[in-house]
């Protein structure tokens, strides 16, 4: 009998060890993790505040056992005891209500949280009595918006959609790309060289290249920065149009140019005709000689002849 | 005695009438030439991604375009001397339009260098030179004003192209935008069609007929004898130095603001303030240059404008915070606009309108160097010291030194010109006295003959 228990224990241990080595987690509901046997790395964050409500942002990359501590150090009712409790995402955490003693003119409350997957991320708040609170916003690093307006490209052309994790932020383990096909996000796999899609990943930077675009390729594309704890997404809209679209204003403006040039030259011709008919009626021994030099290319030869 | 200007031109320019339509045409051509290369930078990020190249490789497109525009100056001058302004501008407009059309189908970055950079740049050169030259043929008395108004095209067209390019980019991506920009550049042909060759009203002359073969020979190609012209040389030396520090402060205004912690939108606002002040001051400068007080000594006005720029740059690092930068943007706009408005007017004033075409061609190709090298050298200064103030000090020196140089040299030049004027008047009086004496002796002889 002990042998089978040890056997069982060994299997559980292996399972947990292999679970801990999975670095990439796909977004979406995952089964709640088993209580790890080897401890998670620890971290703590303490906030001292004076009664105004305070927000603290925390970037989480890997699973961690996080101790959050709130110290209310001023502007507080000097009651000997005060109730304190924790909330996650606006809902009170069960069994978190405590009676906090006033020590050194401070109220202190702290709690350890196991942040292991995407569901563990979110907003944690410590609340004293009814008013004073500190919000801890736990999130994986956010990707800067690629472009708020759609990227425009053409049928038959190719397009490059980049996604970058800005410098001071930690680089993700890998990147993934998704396309919104109306109902859900579908992951894009850049299979081989013949594929229309090409994904190039560098450390803090990824590029999705789509070749031979068609109008069906228009839509929302998501790039996901994959961290041990979760994957953060950013989206970009692609719009594929045909070459006819810019051709219309192009032709319109060209027509406008041709009309204006013709109008101006015709006006000039009519003016010069008026002048020459007026000139012919004038006496030859007039003191003013009007010499109109037409420098247009066609009349060059005649001009040169005149000069000789 | 007829004013010196008309005898050098050979006719009396209209100074109005159709001339204002020509100024409008020049406004468009000059505007496109200066604003177009700057406005293309908005597409660079996407094109950089598309062709997978580094930012400096894509920035080369602008540099090649600017270099071609300046290098194309002499070619443009030769063509204008031969055929006049109108055909050259129209060919230039077609060139830029075709260049952008071809670029919109580009398959490599080299394609863009050739189309947008080389052909586009040359097309803009064929717009810039003739537009400047034709103003000199239509205006004499009101020329500084006409020049100031025409040069206002640059900030106005830039302010129009910037949001337009953003709109085109959002609607059509870079390829479609290049296609449409091609057709927009064809409007330079409309500007060209306005550049009607001037009707030369020749005043009656008792002597030989209007200048014939000899002038057409000199005007056939480029007038290299300009290198012996004192005023031209002073202008050339002063300009080559000042262009090292002319554009960099504007190019680095926004980055300097961001370096000081100012957000992107406020930094962009600085450039808008600069452009508005620039737009306003150019016609005003032209008008001032036209006044009886300034016109005869317009070279001093230009030297003042250049020195003023230099002092502004030296003061800039001392102005603290955003308010200081706004103040700097305003005085920078004033200085930049003043120099731009007078830049070509003073050259026309020195060499005269009929040699201007060759002069401006020679000047632009020589200025090519400092214009292209200025911003990268300034950038290197910023990188080397990690601080913008040394760059501003350097630019200040690059503008103050030529400003003082121009003041001093033009003082001597004006003195020499006055001396030469007095000498030529004395010679004329002597020849007329001699002719009178000759006539008198001849009439004496004839009377003697009659008597004898």
């Amino acid at each position: 009998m002990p042998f089978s228990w040890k056997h069982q224990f060994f299997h559980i241990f292996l399972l947990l060890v292999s679970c801990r080595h999975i670095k990439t987690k796909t977004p979406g509901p995952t089964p709640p993790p088993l209580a790890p046997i080897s401890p998670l790395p620890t971290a703590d964050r303490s906030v001292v505040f004076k009664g105004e409500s305070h927000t603290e942002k925390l970037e989480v990359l890997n699973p961690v056992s996080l101790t959050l501590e709130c110290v209310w150090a001023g502007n507080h009712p000097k009651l000997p005891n005060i109730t304190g409790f924790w909330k996650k995402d606006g809902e009170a955490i069960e069994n978190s209500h405590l009676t906090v003693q006033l020590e050194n003119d401070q109220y202190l409350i702290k709690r350890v949280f196991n942040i292991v997957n995407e569901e563990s991320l979110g907003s944690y708040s410590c609340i004293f009595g009814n008013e004073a609170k500190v919000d801890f916003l736990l999130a994986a690093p956010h990707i800067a918006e690629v472009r708020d307006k759609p990227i425009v490209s053409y049928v038959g052309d190719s397009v490059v959609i980049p996604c970058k994790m800005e410098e001071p932020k930690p680089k993700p383990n890998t990147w993934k790309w998704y396309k919104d096909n109306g109902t859900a996000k579908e992951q894009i796999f850049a299979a081989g060289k013949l594929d229309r899609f090409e994904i190039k990943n560098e450390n803090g930077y990824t590029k999705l290249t789509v070749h031979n675009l068609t109008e069906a390729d228009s839509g929302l594309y998501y790039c996901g920065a994959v961290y041990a704890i979760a994957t953060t997404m950013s989206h970009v809209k692609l719009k594929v149009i045909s070459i006819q679209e810019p051709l219309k204003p192009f032709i319109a403006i060209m027509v406008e140019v041709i009309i204006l040039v013709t109008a101006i030259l015709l006006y000039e011709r009519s003016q010069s005709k008026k002048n020459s008919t007026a000139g012919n009626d004038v006496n030859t021994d007039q003191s003013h000689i009007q010499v109109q030099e037409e420098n247009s290319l066609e009349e060059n030869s005649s001009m040169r002849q005149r000069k000789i | 005695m007829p004013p010196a200007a008309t005898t050098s031109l050979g006719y009396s320019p209209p100074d109005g009438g159709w001339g204002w339509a020509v100024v409008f045409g020049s406004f468009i051509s000059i505007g496109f030439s200066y604003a177009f290369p700057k406005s293309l930078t908005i597409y660079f990020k996407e094109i950089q991604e598309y062709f997978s190249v580094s930012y400096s490789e894509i920035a080369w497109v602008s540099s090649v375009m600017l270099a071609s525009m300046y290098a194309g100056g002499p070619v443009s001058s030769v063509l204008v001397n031969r055929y006049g302004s109108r055909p050259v501008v129209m060919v230039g407009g077609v060139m830029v339009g075709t260049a952008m059309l071809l670029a919109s189908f580009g398959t490599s970055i080299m394609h863009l260098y050739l189309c947008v950079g080389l052909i586009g740049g040359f097309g803009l050169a064929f717009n810039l030179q003739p537009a400047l030259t034709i103003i000199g043929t239509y205006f004499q008395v009101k020329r500084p004003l006409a020049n100031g108004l025409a040069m206002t095209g640059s900030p106005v067209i830039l302010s129009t192209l910037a949001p337009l390019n953003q709109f085109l980019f959002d609607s059509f991506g870079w390829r479609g935008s290049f296609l449409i920009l091609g057709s927009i550049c064809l409007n330079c042909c409309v500007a060209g069609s306005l550049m009607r060759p001037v009707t030369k009203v020749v005043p009656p002359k008792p002597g030989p007929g209007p200048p014939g073969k000899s002038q057409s020979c000199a005007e056939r190609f480029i007038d290299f004898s300009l290198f012996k012209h004192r005023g031209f040389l002073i202008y050339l030396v002063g300009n080559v130095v000042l262009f090292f520090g002319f554009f960099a402060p504007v190019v680095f205004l926004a980055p300097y603001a961001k370096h000081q912690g100012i957000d992107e939108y406020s930094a962009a606002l600085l450039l808008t303030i600069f452009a508005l002040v620039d737009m306003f001051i150019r016609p005003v400068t032209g008008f001032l240059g036209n006044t009886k007080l300034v016109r005869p000594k317009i070279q001093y006005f230009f030297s003042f404008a250049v020195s003023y720029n230099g002092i502004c740059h030296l003061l800039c690092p001392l102005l603290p915070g955003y308010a200081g930068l706004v103040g700097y943007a305003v005085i920078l706009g004033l200085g930049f606009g003043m120099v731009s408005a007078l830049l070509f007017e003073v050259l026309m004033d020195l060499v005269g309108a009929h040699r201007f075409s060759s002069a401006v061609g020679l000047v632009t190709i020589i200025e090519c160097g400092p214009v292209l090298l200025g911003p990268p050298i300034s950038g290197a200064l910023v990188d080397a010291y990690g601080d913008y103030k040394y760059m501003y000090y350097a630019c200040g020196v690059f503008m103050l030194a030529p400003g003082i140089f121009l003041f001093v040299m033009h003082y001597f030049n004006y003195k020499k010109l006055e001396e030469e004027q007095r000498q030529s008047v004395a010679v004329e009086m002597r020849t007329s006295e001699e002719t009178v004496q000759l006539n008198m002796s001849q009439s004496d002889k004839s009377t003697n003959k009659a008597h004898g």
Side-chain angles (χ1 to χ4, degrees):
Chain A
M1 281 324 176
F3 175 78
S4 70
W5 269 113
K6 268 194 188 156
H7 196 69
Q8 195 80 311
F9 206 69
F10 186 63
H11 274 296
I12 295 171
F13 179 74
L14 275 179
L15 191 67
L16 290 171
V17 166
S18 56
C19 272
R20 282 205 63 220
H21 280 133
I22 295 172
K23 293 227 165 196
T24 59
K25 285 199 156 53
T26 51
T30 48
L34 304 160
I37 293 174
S38 30
L40 287 173
T42 54
D44 49 80
R45 188 59 76 92
S46 170
V47 170
V48 178
F49 73 113
K50 288 198 163 55
E52 72 281 355
S53 87
H54 186 94
T55 306
E56 187 88 358
K57 286 192 183 145
L58 288 172
E59 245 173 33
V60 182
L61 306 176
N62 301 303
V64 68
S65 169
L66 184 65
T67 307
L68 295 175
E69 180 182 87
C70 302
V71 180
W72 192 4
N75 279 350
H76 53 67
K78 316 277 187 206
L79 303 167
N81 288 331
I82 196 170
T83 53
F85 66 103
W86 292 87
K87 274 190 181 177
K88 181 180 186 300
D89 294 330
E91 289 195 14
I93 300 173
E94 290 188 10
N95 306 326
S96 67
H97 289 256
L98 290 176
T99 308
V100 183
Q101 314 270 17
L102 182 64
E103 261 176 86
N104 299 330
D105 201 26
Q106 285 178 343
Y107 293 110
L108 190 149
I109 188 173
K110 75 171 165 189
R111 191 179 170 91
V112 178
F113 297 96
N114 285 332
I115 315 294
V116 289
N117 61 12
E118 198 172 343
E119 293 203 322
S120 331
L121 296 172
S123 158
Y124 289 85
S125 313
C126 63
I127 298 162
F128 289 101
N130 277 335
E131 337 83 66
K133 72 172 181 160
V134 177
D135 292 315
F136 294 90
L137 300 175
L138 271 55
H142 236 74
I143 308 173
E145 192 71 59
V146 183
R147 239 176 91 80
D148 51 351
K149 298 202 190 84
I151 294 182
V152 178
S153 195
Y154 292 89
V155 175
D157 196 6
S158 59
V159 72
V160 175
I161 308 176
C163 239
K164 189 174 173 193
M165 186 54 82
E166 290 300 312
E167 249 324 285
K169 295 202 178 153
K171 302 185 171 28
N173 301 329
T174 184
W175 292 90
K176 287 195 179 166
W177 282 93
Y178 303 85
K179 183 176 188 306
D180 193 343
N181 63 2
T183 44
K185 295 192 188 100
E186 202 182 294
Q187 190 173 351
I188 300 172
F189 296 98
K193 291 232 165 117
L194 297 171
D195 202 7
R196 275 203 316 140
F197 295 95
E198 209 182 293
I199 297 178
K200 189 165 160 212
N201 288 343
E202 259 156 74
N203 240 345
Y205 186 81
T206 182
K207 284 200 290 193
L208 172 71
T209 309
V210 189
H211 297 288
N212 266 329
L213 286 166
T214 62
E215 289 198 357
D217 287 321
S218 303
L220 222 50
Y221 286 78
Y222 297 87
C223 64
V226 181
Y227 292 95
I229 189 80
T231 303
T232 49
M233 302 274 217
S234 175
H235 61 90
V236 120
K237 187 145 182 261
L238 176 68
K239 203 167 102 170
V240 181
I241 55 177
S242 83
I243 198 75
Q244 313 280 352
E245 299 263 340
L247 212 57
K248 292 181 216 147
F250 172 79
I251 293 180
I253 298 176
M254 237 182 34
V255 167
E256 166 251 317
V257 166
I258 294 174
I259 291 176
L260 282 176
V261 171
T262 322
I264 293 170
L265 292 176
L266 283 177
Y267 172 73
E268 183 180 323
R269 196 139 288 188
S270 71
Q271 279 236 313
S272 75
K273 277 204 187 116
K274 251 191 267 168
N275 284 340
S276 61
T277 47
N280 282 337
D281 298 339
V282 156
N283 284 333
T284 43
D285 57 32
Q286 251 220 336
S287 44
H288 281 285
I289 308 161
Q290 276 194 344
V291 176
Q292 185 159 25
E293 288 182 41
E294 299 259 344
N295 278 335
S296 53
L297 287 164
E298 313 90 66
E299 310 204 9
N300 239 349
S301 47
S302 56
M303 180 180 78
R304 273 192 230 119
Q305 283 179 344
R306 252 191 285 142
K307 280 195 169 173
I308 292 166
Chain B
M1 196 174 96
T6 43
T7 46
S8 75
L9 275 175
Y11 66 95
S12 145
D15 261 298
W18 188 253
W20 298 116
V22 171
V23 167
F24 180 67
S26 298
F27 176 94
I28 305 271
S29 279
I30 294 172
F32 266 101
S33 301
Y34 282 119
F36 195 68
K38 288 186 212 162
S39 68
L40 287 181
T41 53
I42 218 166
Y43 300 107
F44 283 175
K45 192 146 183 272
E46 189 179 321
I47 299 177
Q48 183 193 344
E49 292 292 348
Y50 184 85
F51 288 122
S52 303
V53 293
S54 69
Y55 188 77
S56 61
E57 280 177 278
I58 191 76
W60 265 96
V61 173
S62 254
S63 305
V64 173
M65 193 174 206
L66 210 60
S68 303
M69 187 171 102
Y70 276 78
V75 180
S76 197
S77 300
V78 168
L79 291 173
V80 170
N81 284 340
R82 191 79 177 264
Y83 300 110
S85 292
R86 173 185 269 170
V88 183
V89 174
M90 296 189 78
V91 166
V94 170
M95 273 177 86
V96 186
T98 317
M100 295 307 288
L101 172 68
L102 289 175
S104 71
F105 293 106
T107 50
S108 74
I109 192 85
M110 192 51 75
H111 200 128
L112 289 185
Y113 289 152
L114 283 173
C115 293
V116 178
L118 206 62
I119 303 178
F122 261 83
L124 291 179
F126 287 3
N127 267 284
L128 182 63
Q129 253 77 294
L132 294 167
T133 308
I134 199 165
I135 294 176
T137 65
Y138 267 87
F139 289 88
Q140 174 55 41
V141 176
K142 299 211 182 104
R143 202 179 60 202
L145 180 62
N147 265 315
L149 283 170
M151 291 299 281
T152 313
S154 174
V156 168
I157 303 258
L158 185 60
S159 304
T160 320
L161 277 182
L164 179 69
N165 274 342
Q166 185 66 55
F167 168 73
L168 286 176
F169 179 53
D170 292 336
S171 316
F172 299 107
W174 71 271
R175 284 192 192 272
S177 300
F178 276 19
L179 187 67
I180 297 177
L181 279 174
S183 64
I184 291 177
C185 288
L186 283 179
N187 280 297
C188 290
C189 293
V190 178
S193 64
L194 287 170
M195 295 182 191
R196 192 191 295 175
V198 68
T199 313
K200 298 187 178 178
V201 179
V202 182
K205 270 168 119 171
K213 231 196 255 180
S214 59
Q215 195 178 56
S216 70
C217 263
E219 286 180 342
R220 177 151 266 134
F221 295 112
I222 273 214
D223 190 358
F224 284 104
S225 72
L226 279 165
F227 284 111
K228 292 189 222 140
H229 190 288
R230 207 170 43 240
F232 177 75
L233 288 172
I234 299 173
Y235 179 86
L236 195 60
V237 172
N239 272 39
V240 165
V241 180
L242 83 87
F243 268 102
F244 273 108
F246 191 47
F247 290 111
V250 186
V251 170
F252 286 102
L253 186 60
Y256 179 49
K258 285 189 224 167
H259 180 84
Q260 293 204 327
I262 293 168
D263 67 280
E264 216 169 303
Y265 292 108
S266 306
L269 186 64
L270 287 175
L271 283 173
T272 312
I273 295 173
F274 165 81
L276 286 172
V277 173
D278 186 16
M279 234 186 270
F280 166 74
I281 200 68
R282 288 191 196 205
V284 170
T285 308
F287 177 75
L288 285 175
N290 234 125
T291 54
K292 284 204 191 83
L293 192 65
V294 180
R295 186 82 193 274
K297 305 287 178 189
I298 202 167
Q299 302 297 333
Y300 289 146
F301 192 24
F302 182 64
S303 319
F304 163 73
V306 176
S307 315
Y308 168 79
N309 260 311
I311 297 173
C312 284
H313 300 329
L314 289 172
L315 285 178
C316 173
L318 304 173
L319 299 169
Y322 188 62
L325 278 176
V326 170
Y328 176 67
V330 171
I331 56 177
L332 181 66
L334 288 175
F336 193 86
M338 275 202 286
V339 173
S340 300
L342 293 171
L343 195 62
F344 295 108
E345 169 58 35
V346 294
L347 184 59
M348 269 187 226
D349 181 70
L350 285 167
V351 304
H354 72 289
R355 289 170 96 186
F356 175 76
S357 174
S358 310
V360 76
L362 292 170
V363 157
T364 51
I365 196 170
I366 295 171
E367 278 170 8
C368 200
V371 165
L372 286 176
L373 290 174
I377 290 179
S378 305
L381 271 174
V382 172
D383 290 335
Y385 290 102
D387 193 349
Y388 282 84
K389 65 176 182 190
Y390 295 106
M391 180 209 95
Y392 279 104
Y393 289 147
C395 289
V397 169
F398 272 126
M399 295 215 70
L400 192 57
I404 297 173
F405 168 80
L406 287 169
F407 254 123
V408 170
M409 294 310 285
H410 280 300
Y411 174 71
F412 289 121
N413 194 36
Y414 273 132
K415 275 202 151 176
K416 271 230 144 180
L417 282 173
E418 276 169 21
E419 228 180 85
E420 281 165 11
Q421 187 87 311
R422 263 181 271 133
Q423 278 180 1
S424 70
V425 167
V427 165
E428 262 191 54
M429 277 178 58
R430 248 186 287 133
T431 47
S432 58
E433 272 173 21
E434 281 169 10
T435 4
V436 165
Q437 278 182 355
L438 206 61
N439 285 341
M440 275 174 55
S441 59
Q442 277 189 340
S443 58
D444 282 346
K445 279 192 193 158
S446 52
T447 44
N448 284 343
K449 265 194 175 170
H451 281 271

